[in-house]
Structure formats: C-alpha cells, structure tokens
Amino acid sequence: SPETIVEDDAFWDDYRRDSLSVRELNTYHYLDSVGRELDLDKRIERIETLFGGYWRRGFLDVDRGSLLRYNQHEGFRPGLAFQTNQAFSRHLRIMAMTAYGFGDNTWKYGAGASVLLDRLSDLRLGYDYQYDVMERGGSDFISTPNLLSTANSRNFFLETMDVCKTHTVWLQSRTFRNYLTLKLFASVEDVTYTDDYRYSSDPGLITSPSDEDLPGGQARFFELGARLRFAYGERFILTPRQIITLEGNYPVLHLNIARGTDAIMDGEYAYWRFEMKLNRRFDIPMLGRQQWTLRAGYFAGDAPWNKRFTAPGVYRRFSVSTPGAFSTMRVDEFVSDRYVALFWHHHFENLLYRGRSFNPKVVLLTNIGFGDMHERENHLNTTFDTMERGFFESGIAILDLIGSGFTSLGLEFSVRYGPYAYPRFKDNFSLLLGYSMMF
C-alpha cells in the first residue's frame, strides 16, 4: 500500500511476531535493489492495467475495447475512452469517452468523475454523464476487473438501441471482507426511440398508428436504485491501485433493484424493476465440471419496453459463441415483464480424450427460458413475442481444436426445440465458432 511503504521499523515492530534477522534484512535490501534496477513496480503496474482492459499512457488509462466496436445498430464504432490513474491523483478519477457510429451517423460522448473516500473498502462517490445508445430492455450488472475473464461478444448482435442522455450520481463500496460490492445510485434518463416504437398506458384511446394522440418518440425516467454483487469465498488481489478478482468455484450473486417514480425530476413513469443473476461453477469427480447461470427478472408498474426485459438472443446461423445467451433465439424475439432463464454447461475437460499435442474437450449445453408480459397491447408498432410455454435449446461444443498458450478455438452446435421451434430444421440450428483468451 502506498500509505504503508514509508513507515519506519518502529511501526512494523508492533505487527511482527519476531524481529527480522540479518539474513532477512539483507534479502529485503537485495530485492528492493533489484526492483529499482529493473523498475519492477512500473512493469507490474503496466501488466496489471493490461489485465484490466486498459493501456497505460502516462497519467491516463485508455480502454482498449473502446477503440473499435461493432453492433448491428451502429455498424463500426471507432472511439476513445479513458480514465486518469494514480499518477494523476490517488483519490480523484476523471473519465471521458467519445465515439461515432457509421451505421446510425451519430456521435456519442460522456464524462464523469469519482472520489476515493476509503481505499480498503474501495468506497467511491461519483457522477457520470452519458449521451450514448443503449439496448432497449437490456441488463447491466456490476462488473469487476478479472484476470481470467472472457470477452462478451453479445454487443455484436444488438439491433434495437435507443439514444439515451443520462445523469447518474452513485456511491459504491466493497464490504463483508470484500465479498460484497454495493452500488447505490440516482439517475435521470432521457430516451429517444430510434424506430416507430411507442408506448401508451391506455391504448384504447388510439385508433391507428397515425392517430394524433399517439405518444411521442421520447421518454423520461427518474430512478433510485441499488446494484449488488456478492461472492462469498472469492479470491482477490489487493494492489496499490485496485482490487482484482480471480475466477473460482464460488457462487456469484448479482442483484439489481430500481424504483422509478413520476414525482421527482419530471419522471414520467412509476415502477419497480428487480433482476437477479446467479453463477455457480463446481467440479464433479470423474465427470468434469459444471457451470450454471440462473437469471430472473420481475417488473411491476407502468413503463415502456426500456424497463422490461429483453431475452438475450444472438441468433446467426454461422456466428461466434456467446456465453450466457440463447444462440438459436432471434435478437429481440422475446420480451417479458417476468422471466426466468437457466444456462447449463457440462465440461468433460480431458476425461474423454487426451493426446500428446491434440486435446479437444467436449461440452454439453442446454439453455431454457420462461417469461410472460401483462398488457402486451400497450406496446405499439413492434412485433416481439413472449415465452410463456418455454424456450428450449441444447447443443454440444468441442473446444481446443486449435490452440496455443494464450488462445484456443472450437466449434459449438445448438438446436432449438419445443413450443417455439420453427417448422424447418435449418431455421432451428446454429453453428458457432467458440474462442477463449487468457486476457
């Protein structure tokens, strides 16, 4: 810790069980000398930043993922996002971003700042402003820097996105031995629809889509809420700059709670929105490893599609594997007020086949989803469906067909079946390229 490095021997004597021997003192002195000669602190700092998804440039950390993105709505999206680091200030962090979508011909931008109030609990108070596009009915859970996390490719498939101007004040901290991350927030969000979608609490007053009483293409939300991430037993690394979590076999619970009100800051809708995600990965002796992701959401009140739940469909007949999504479900095919979804994977690891240089691994997978929506008729000029009867898909993946020490490639085949299956088989399957990266 930067605050403890400068303490003298008298300070540390209160915490040591015994005094340091001459050999131990010489060892520390040698390691410090080697560290200064090789500039190890700066090298480690750069590697740590790279693992977190950033490039360090002086007092700025540049978000690598912001330089070029792509989705079905914006097309190619070059941009730049950065935040200041400890070289600028240990307590104050300033963030900024800008991007341009060649598909929607729209500039996006944002800025924010946060103050570190307590380092050990990572207590931060912040404000963010953002003018950007967001998925209609999407989900946003707390994320943490993770050395071994895999990239989520679902953004590539997003189609229905709205322009959102958002002001957010937030307070975030880690507690309960750093197992619990809690973020409280208040936000004002102005949404402009990018298509003909409209929402009316009383659609009986509207006789046709061209009726002059049709609501406008904008909405305003005021929300108070909390986001929670709880991972009991999680391992993490406390560095002088941040807390980095490590993947393990512990369950991880995410919980989002939001209260929209029409009584503050000209908010137009009153509602409650709850959403949960539970990840669990565990080993089974002689059978391999299983991973479960359970998701559920509940909405009550009056609000447009933005505050409902869009099922994470990513269908392309030939595409890229996306964990935690339905590979045979069309994008924006299902929207719900209430839903539950289960994503199940069983990884046989090296139990089925093991060679000297070629070690393909077999994974079985099944994804299931149920959901419904009340007052479906309030949503105008749209064609989404609901999944009361249950959505089902299963498949098999063969991983590590081609691999190196840092990346690997495989294939995943999934089939859609059950009440929402299409008559023709070719419309029910997807063949996906699976990949994984060390970073």
Side-chain angles (χ1 to χ4, degrees), residues 8 22 30 82 94 98 108 114-115 117 138 169 172 251 331 357-358 362 396:
D8 56 22
V22 174
Y30 174 77
F82 61 84
I94 299 175
T98 186
K108 293 87 178 178
S114 64
V115 178
L117 304 177
V169 178
Q172 179 169 314
V331 179
S357 58
F358 181 61
V362 176
I396 185 171

Side-chain angles (χ1 to χ4, degrees), residues 212-255:
E212 62 181 8
D213 293 327
L214 189 67
Q218 296 181 333
R220 184 178 178 89
F221 306 97
F222 177 82
E223 278 190 356
L224 297 171
R227 293 175 182 169
L228 175 151
R229 180 184 184 275
F230 181 70
Y232 183 79
E234 182 177 55
R235 296 173 298 143
F236 58 89
I237 300 173
L238 176 62
T239 76
R241 288 157 289 277
Q242 62 180 326
I243 297 174
I244 300 176
T245 63
L246 301 173
E247 287 188 351
N249 294 331
Y250 44 80
V252 180
L253 172 67
H254 291 84
L255 180 64

